[in-house]
Structure formats: C-alpha cells, structure tokens
Amino acid sequence: MSEFCAGVKILLERMKSNPEDFELHQYDMPTMQGVKGRFYDFAQSIEGIILGTVEKGKPWRDWQYFTDEERKALIEGFKAMKRTKFDEKIMERVFDEGYIERQHEEIRRYYSQPLTSSPPSMYPPQQMNAAPHPFQITTTDNTGGGLMGAIGLGGIFK
C-alpha cells in the first residue's frame, strides 16, 4: 500500500471529525435557506461516483491524480460518514421525544408566513433610491440622446 497524500489524509479525518463540512443539502425549514459545506464540491462528486451519476473519469478535478487506494479510501470514508449520519437521524427519531413536535413547529412557522414573503436572499437588498451605476442605461433618463444621454453625453451632440 502506498502512502496517501496529505490532502487525502485530511479529508478522511475531516469526514470523521467534521461531517458537516461535507453537507450536500441542508435547509433551514422556516427560511428554506440552503447551506453548503466547506467541501461541498468534493462531496457532490463522491456521491455522484457512488450513485453512478458521474462518469468515472470526470468526477472531480483532482480525482485523476489520486492513486486507486486513495480513491477507494475516500469513497469508503464518505460512505462510513453517511452511514453514521443515517444512524444519528434514526436514533434522534426513535429516542428524542420532542423530535416530532419540533418538526411540526418548523412546518407551522414555514406555512404561516404570508404568501407574499420570500425566503431571505443571500444577496444584500437593493437600495430603492440608489443612484444608478455610471454606465447603466435607465428608462427615466431625460437628458436626451438615448445611449449618449444615458452615459452623460446627450447634450453635447444636440
């Protein structure tokens, strides 16, 4: 067996110690805001390999540089991490008395939002009265000259 490269060793350890770094889809039910883990791209590729939805030669940019042993270890480490997460979900549902009530509360909060409200955006809100970008063509431009007016040269050519 050859020595694993440092990056593979780190990924294998992170799968054990910080599985949230490999989250593919985690949603906050009340806001429906998605969270991606630190190694989302890696997790997406490995899951694609496991499910057979990614071609073996094109799963991840660095995949081709790994040895066969490293690839196998990464796949097995990912599977073990997912099995552990599955066990935790089952244990929570079986032994946590408040689990069902918390789920119902999240659903009630989500569906009690007004229909006109949307989930929070990951982008900052646009300023309603903000000045347009210097090169932005606006429909309220009254300097004349169409495009020339939009960039501030409309009056020069009259």
Side-chain angles (χ1 to χ4, degrees):
M1 183 170 123
S2 63
E3 180 70 20
F4 289 176
C5 71
V8 170
K9 290 177 186 176
I10 290 168
L11 286 174
L12 290 170
E13 281 304 312
R14 294 293 291 190
M15 285 182 211
K16 293 175 188 171
S17 65
N18 298 78
E20 67 277 1
D21 284 352
F22 299 88
E23 288 290 332
L24 292 172
H25 311 290
Q26 182 177 3
Y27 291 97
D28 178 30
M29 187 66 163
T31 63
M32 289 304 289
Q33 196 163 357
V35 176
K36 292 180 181 177
R38 180 179 304 219
F39 296 108
Y40 168 81
D41 56 342
F42 167 78
Q44 189 176 30
S45 294
I46 291 292
E47 190 157 277
I49 292 168
I50 292 167
L51 297 174
T53 58
V54 173
E55 294 178 37
K56 292 286 183 190
K58 299 182 177 183
W60 188 35
R61 178 182 299 209
D62 298 319
W63 192 251
Q64 62 190 348
Y65 304 116
F66 299 145
T67 65
D68 289 339
E69 292 89 15
E70 289 171 328
R71 291 180 189 147
K72 184 176 180 181
L74 288 169
I75 289 170
E76 291 306 315
F78 190 81
K79 285 180 177 179
M81 178 188 69
K82 289 298 205 175
R83 285 191 300 268
T84 300
K85 184 73 173 169
F86 174 77
D87 291 345
E88 289 171 0
K89 287 179 187 177
I90 296 302
M91 298 300 279
E92 179 184 25
R93 290 181 186 196
V94 170
F95 295 109
D96 185 355
E97 295 297 324
Y99 174 80
I100 297 295
E101 185 54 39
R102 283 194 311 276
Q103 294 294 341
H104 289 172
E105 180 58 32
E106 284 185 13
I107 291 168
R108 275 193 294 275
R109 278 187 287 154
Y110 176 75
Y111 284 109
S112 67
Q113 294 176 4
L115 290 177
T116 57
S117 72
S118 7
S121 173
M122 58 188 261
Y123 301 105
Q126 295 292 330
Q127 299 293 328
M128 294 303 289
N129 297 323
H133 189 276
F135 300 112
Q136 179 179 355
I137 298 173
T138 62
T139 57
T140 58
D141 178 34
N142 58 5
T143 60
L147 177 59
M148 298 304 280
I151 60 174
L153 301 175
I156 295 176
F157 298 104
K158 285 190 177 179

